[in-house]
Amino acid sequence: MEIPEVVIDRLPLYARALAGLEARGREVVSSQELAQHVFGDIKGAAQIRKDLSYFGRFGKQGRGYNVRRLLEELRQILGLDRHWRMALVGVGRLGRAILGYEGFAPQGFRIAEAFDADPAVVGTRVDGLVIKHTDELEKVLAASPVDVGIVAVPAESAQKVIDALVRCGVSAILDYAPSAGHVPRGVQMKRIDPVLSLQSMTYYLKARPLSPK
Amino acid sequence: MEIPEVVIDRLPLYARALAGLEARGREVVSSQELAQHVFGDIKGAAQIRKDLSYFGRFGKQGRGYNVRRLLEELRQILGLDRHWRMALVGVGRLGRAILGYEGFAPQGFRIAEAFDADPAVVGTRVDGLVIKHTDELEKVLAASPVDVGIVAVPAESAQKVIDALVRCGVSAILDYAPSAGHVPRGVQMKRIDPVLSLQSMTYYLKARPLSPK
């Protein structure tokens, strides 16, 4: 059975909330309480029950979920119990912030290689990694494969970098470039694009009175 | 009629593709070609036609869309023809990358105020902005309101910052903190969380053979 992508996208939120509950010593949680943690509202409880039902039967009617067991199941479903090697392409200002981001390692995501096209950057050490030239990307990743590619290059270079990563067998790409890069079927790509997020929020703002400028 | 949020989320992608076509001097585009630009695949054409149909009749059967007219309509629908003032809270490594991000200004989004809680950072100038103390946030934004708040503080401070922004009348929040912050009804919030994006992609990767570590 094909599970909808929107369901998969919500599972990490559930896992994060459960990890928080487990850290506070909670053993059992109701779908209402989990919804409160995830969505800030108990109305998401039916959604959570439906999403989880794709993966079998968790929890007993009226008894709630066993926090540790559900968390373990979600970790396994999502592959969170593994370590994932990533390659970063683009070590400008944004790339440096990504290299320094402390949220990846505790979740099993490690940037193992970093590339840039600027000769002034190549060969320098940033956060313990020696930056390699983008021209060497395919050679380096052939010898030392990664699972995930992170694209932090300007829009005009993004598709070329994405294509190179795909040729290296990378099958998941996190795309920070403000462009509409494409990947072939079978390769996952998620865009991190704050402007798109802002532009979809302003739809809701525009009916409001303007704030004084 | 309430328009589904997933539809609103796709409109900025259409606007971006149309702006690219307009810049290249194109006057008319079919839904198939627009889908090719947006999704890398003509199969999204029906989706585009359906999404646009929420807003009235654009384009004529078999004649395609007038690029400039559709782009103008989308800009108006999304509020892209306006200027939006933003306040950034958190001027650490991530906050600095956000302050330096060159993608905001050309799209009408300007960071007008920036706050941090670190006395060593307060009073310094970053990208032309003097950083103010987070304790002054409500006072500053009362005198100089903003439309959007950007949260780039550690997870444990995020909800407090979100609550303060909401008290100041901010009704759209871009949340970079790796936490499950909540907003009251009527306030928009989008999360920029690379770990959640990675975790939903590893679901698809985990069935693959592991790359040698």
Side-chain angles (χ1 to χ4, degrees):
Chain A
M1 181 179 46
E2 183 89 29
I3 295 162
E5 198 180 331
V6 289
V7 174
I8 304 300
D9 286 349
R10 282 190 290 263
L11 298 184
L13 290 169
Y14 304 162
R16 183 180 285 179
L18 287 163
L21 289 164
E22 193 192 34
R24 293 197 293 279
R26 286 291 303 276
E27 291 178 5
V28 176
V29 67
S30 66
S31 54
Q32 286 79 10
E33 193 186 349
L34 190 53
Q36 182 68 48
H37 282 278
V38 173
F39 303 112
D41 196 315
I42 63 162
K43 281 190 301 189
Q47 173 101 81
I48 291 177
R49 289 194 301 268
K50 185 162 175 251
D51 287 351
L52 294 177
S53 73
Y54 281 101
F55 302 95
R57 277 165 50 88
F58 303 100
K60 291 210 182 72
Q61 190 70 38
R63 295 266 304 272
Y65 298 109
N66 177 304
V67 171
R68 182 181 304 170
R69 204 176 313 144
L70 181 55
L71 178 57
E72 259 169 37
E73 291 271 3
L74 285 177
R75 278 199 217 274
Q76 219 171 333
I77 289 166
L78 290 167
L80 308 187
D81 47 354
R82 299 235 197 127
H83 286 264
W84 302 96
R85 280 165 58 88
M86 310 196 290
L88 169 70
V89 190
V91 191
R93 200 160 173 169
L94 174 62
R96 278 163 206 270
I98 294 168
L99 268 176
Y101 184 60
E102 290 167 356
F104 290 135
Q107 304 299 327
F109 295 98
R110 189 165 71 83
I111 299 176
E113 301 286 354
F115 301 90
D116 200 276
D118 180 353
V121 172
V122 172
T124 64
R125 189 178 280 271
V126 181
D127 279 282
L129 265 189
V130 176
I131 311 305
K132 296 176 183 167
H133 199 290
T134 311
D135 289 347
E136 292 177 29
L137 187 143
E138 297 190 49
K139 201 182 74 191
V140 171
L141 298 191
S144 161
V146 298
D147 307 291
V148 177
I150 304 180
V151 178
V153 299
E156 59 273 19
S157 325
Q159 188 64 56
K160 221 178 68 184
V161 166
I162 290 169
D163 292 343
L165 288 166
V166 169
R167 278 197 300 275
C168 295
V170 170
S171 50
I173 291 175
L174 198 58
D175 183 14
Y176 282 83
S179 63
H182 301 305
V183 288
R185 184 175 292 276
V187 176
Q188 300 296 314
M189 183 159 77
K190 294 275 183 193
R191 278 195 194 120
I192 305 273
D193 190 326
V195 169
L196 292 180
S197 299
L198 288 168
Q199 290 181 333
S200 56
M201 288 196 290
T202 52
Y203 169 79
Y204 299 97
L205 294 190
K206 70 180 196 328
R208 294 161 183 278
L210 281 172
S211 59
K213 288 296 175 297
Chain B
M1 181 178 45
E2 181 90 30
I3 295 161
E5 198 180 330
V6 290
V7 173
I8 304 300
D9 286 349
R10 282 189 291 262
L11 299 184
L13 290 169
Y14 304 162
R16 182 180 287 178
L18 288 163
L21 287 164
E22 194 191 33
R24 294 197 292 279
R26 286 290 304 276
E27 290 179 5
V28 176
V29 67
S30 67
S31 55
Q32 286 79 10
E33 192 186 349
L34 190 54
Q36 182 69 46
H37 282 277
V38 174
F39 304 114
D41 196 316
I42 63 161
K43 282 190 299 186
Q47 173 101 81
I48 291 176
R49 289 193 300 270
K50 184 159 176 254
D51 287 352
L52 294 178
S53 72
Y54 280 100
F55 302 95
R57 277 165 50 89
F58 303 101
K60 291 209 183 71
Q61 190 70 37
R63 297 265 304 271
Y65 299 108
N66 178 303
V67 170
R68 183 180 304 170
R69 202 176 315 146
L70 181 56
L71 179 57
E72 258 169 39
E73 290 273 2
L74 285 176
R75 278 198 217 273
Q76 217 170 334
I77 289 167
L78 289 167
L80 308 188
D81 47 355
R82 298 235 198 128
H83 285 265
W84 301 96
R85 281 166 55 89
M86 311 196 289
L88 169 70
V89 190
V91 191
R93 199 159 175 170
L94 174 62
R96 277 164 206 270
I98 294 167
L99 267 176
Y101 184 60
E102 290 167 356
F104 290 136
Q107 304 299 327
F109 295 98
R110 189 165 71 83
I111 298 177
E113 299 286 354
F115 301 91
D116 200 277
D118 180 354
V121 173
V122 173
T124 64
R125 190 178 279 271
V126 181
D127 279 282
L129 266 189
V130 176
I131 311 305
K132 296 175 182 165
H133 199 291
T134 311
D135 289 348
E136 293 176 29
L137 187 142
E138 297 190 50
K139 200 181 72 190
V140 171
L141 298 191
S144 162
V146 298
D147 308 290
V148 177
I150 304 181
V151 179
V153 298
E156 57 274 19
S157 325
Q159 188 64 57
K160 221 178 66 184
V161 166
I162 290 169
D163 293 343
L165 287 166
V166 170
R167 277 196 301 274
C168 295
V170 170
S171 51
I173 291 176
L174 197 59
D175 183 15
Y176 283 84
S179 63
H182 302 305
V183 287
R185 184 176 293 274
V187 177
Q188 299 297 315
M189 183 159 77
K190 294 274 183 192
R191 279 196 192 121
I192 305 273
D193 190 327
V195 169
L196 292 180
S197 299
L198 288 169
Q199 290 181 334
S200 58
M201 288 198 289
T202 52
Y203 169 79
Y204 299 96
L205 295 190
K206 69 180 197 329
R208 295 162 183 277
L210 282 172
S211 58
K213 289 295 178 297

